[in-house]
Amino acid sequence: MNAPVKIETTLKDWETDQEVRWCPGCGDYAILKAVQRTLPKIGADPANTVFISGIGCSSRFPYYMETYGFHTIHGRAPAVATGVKLANPELDIWLVTGDGDGLSIGGNHMMHVLRRNVDMQIMLFNNEIYGLTKGQYSPTSRVGTPSPSTPRGSVDAPANPCAFALGSGARFVARGFDVSKKLPEVLIAAHEHRGAAFIEIFQNCIVYNKDVFDDFAAPKGAEDRQLWLEDGEPMLFGSEKTGGVKGLRLNTDTLSFEVVEVADGDWQAAGVRVHDTKNRVIAHLLAELPFGPYPMAMGVLYDDPAPTFSDGMIAEREAATKGKEANLAKLLQSGQTWTVDGTAQDPV
């Protein structure tokens, strides 16, 4: 497959004439702007870009991007996106889904697009609620979440989107949140990855699950509650202003992380782990770190490219057609054929 030709655009080139309609204060507005700011940075071409969504608040996204797009049906966006990629592998595919759309009715489709490693960027907006259908609990809602469907609080154990993606065989898994200034960096890294790139984006539902992510996303004290990962860099968080720099050390006996204090900036003496995006085991541990005792792991958790599904399909197609003539008429007249004589009459 040929490398895409980069062109020069601005944010305005990606904005449509459609009125953007989400609830005032919805985190989707911030994600939309982050994407529209990111695409010019990567040299994307609107004529070669497709946004494909399922059903939900997040799935209005294609209307607000000046690109090609499909607003498909509930949970089936991964299947449609796979078809689009196979029909035209040169297209740059962005899949937009939510925690309900992508992990409930669409969980099976999501698993297969990840294990097949279809080349696309998958943005899963996680607001831990069903926003479009008026606030029912979703697969990612926390235990105790009150909703119209769980008035006494949800008793379901929530799904972990990043752990799900890793378990499904994803080769790129990352996290960010709607108003983070670092979200474009995560999107750029996902776009640079060839294959299925899965990004969980925490998104504030202002109406039905307001400020549920403030425990780690609120600006005040964020240094102590967010661990932004960078390949080849130590896993550090906190600051001297907020009680000191800390880090994550791997206990090899229990194969679990421990929070350690870092004195005088000497993270090596404290045994702080250096992040390796190609280490799948470490990615699993980071994805499942319980928030509270640990910070929320953000950024690129895992990035280890592998052959893509579309590359395999193209190679198979080329091998099957090598040295053969594309002649439909000849094909239809080959093998056992016969002619029906239109003059014959039925027996009396």
Side-chain angles (χ1 to χ4, degrees):
M1 190 172 72
N2 296 325
V5 177
K6 295 185 178 183
I7 69 168
E8 191 171 319
T9 61
T10 67
L11 182 148
K12 293 292 183 183
D13 293 313
W14 299 92
E15 295 178 334
T16 69
D17 59 359
Q18 301 298 301
E19 179 187 359
V20 182
R21 298 182 65 182
W22 285 305
C23 299
C26 175
D28 288 352
Y29 286 99
I31 301 172
L32 175 65
K33 283 302 176 187
V35 172
Q36 290 173 334
R37 290 190 178 101
T38 298
L39 293 171
K41 293 179 181 179
I42 61 179
D45 182 353
N48 198 54
T49 304
V50 185
F51 279 82
I52 299 173
S53 65
I55 295 295
C57 297
S58 63
S59 294
R60 298 181 62 83
F61 214 89
Y63 296 105
Y64 308 138
M65 296 298 303
E66 190 61 31
T67 66
Y68 292 102
F70 285 96
H71 187 179
T72 69
I73 56 179
H74 209 185
R76 274 63 180 183
V80 174
T82 299
V84 172
K85 188 66 180 180
L86 292 181
N88 189 344
E90 304 295 332
L91 292 175
D92 188 9
I93 309 292
W94 294 77
L95 191 151
V96 185
T97 186
D99 47 305
D101 180 64
L103 296 179
S104 185
I105 191 170
N108 196 41
H109 292 287
M110 183 66 72
M111 177 186 74
H112 293 306
V113 79
L114 292 172
R115 73 169 180 84
R116 285 172 171 155
N117 199 29
V118 185
D119 190 14
M120 66 180 71
Q121 295 74 237
I122 303 166
M123 298 187 295
L124 185 139
F125 296 11
N126 182 10
N127 56 18
E128 296 186 1
I129 209 76
Y130 277 103
L132 185 67
T133 52
K134 307 301 182 283
Q136 299 89 344
Y137 80 109
S138 83
T140 59
S141 295
R142 304 176 194 187
V143 173
T145 299
S147 77
S149 54
T150 55
R152 295 180 181 272
S154 171
V155 298
D156 273 10
N160 181 321
C162 287
F164 171 86
L166 286 165
S168 298
R171 308 296 302 191
F172 181 100
V173 177
R175 272 200 193 119
F177 64 96
D178 47 14
V179 296
S180 171
K181 293 180 180 178
K182 295 186 178 183
L183 181 57
E185 297 175 18
V186 175
L187 297 175
I188 290 171
H191 190 265
E192 289 175 350
H193 175 92
R194 286 210 67 232
F198 180 89
I199 316 111
E200 177 187 12
I201 305 175
F202 297 110
Q203 177 256 321
N204 186 30
C205 177
I206 196 72
V207 176
Y208 297 111
N209 216 14
K210 184 180 179 183
D211 300 334
V212 70
F213 301 119
D214 268 6
D215 49 4
F216 63 82
K220 187 175 182 180
E223 299 93 339
D224 290 322
R225 294 178 275 108
Q226 298 172 16
L227 168 62
W228 283 95
L229 300 160
E230 291 186 42
D231 190 37
E233 296 296 326
M235 299 179 184
L236 298 172
F237 62 100
S239 70
E240 297 298 341
K241 296 179 181 179
T242 59
V245 177
K246 303 177 182 66
L248 294 185
R249 178 176 61 197
L250 183 66
N251 185 323
T252 54
D253 292 331
T254 61
L255 198 59
S256 61
F257 278 116
E258 302 169 341
V259 175
V260 294
E261 302 284 343
V262 176
D264 302 321
D266 193 351
W267 58 267
Q268 292 169 311
V272 175
R273 181 83 182 189
V274 172
H275 186 42
D276 176 7
T277 56
K278 287 184 168 52
N279 191 317
R280 194 176 191 84
V281 173
I282 294 299
H284 269 285
L285 293 177
L286 291 168
E288 297 184 348
L289 279 179
F291 178 75
Y294 299 92
M296 180 61 71
M298 302 279 203
V300 179
L301 280 66
Y302 184 61
D303 183 3
D304 188 16
T308 70
F309 184 61
S310 48
D311 284 349
M313 292 294 291
I314 291 170
E316 184 181 76
R317 191 182 306 156
E318 290 176 348
T321 58
K322 187 176 181 180
K324 296 180 181 178
E325 179 186 3
N327 189 325
L328 181 59
K330 184 178 179 180
L331 175 65
L332 292 175
Q333 294 171 14
S334 64
Q336 293 182 338
T337 62
W338 61 93
T339 302
V340 177
D341 186 353
T343 62
Q345 296 182 355
D346 293 334
V348 177

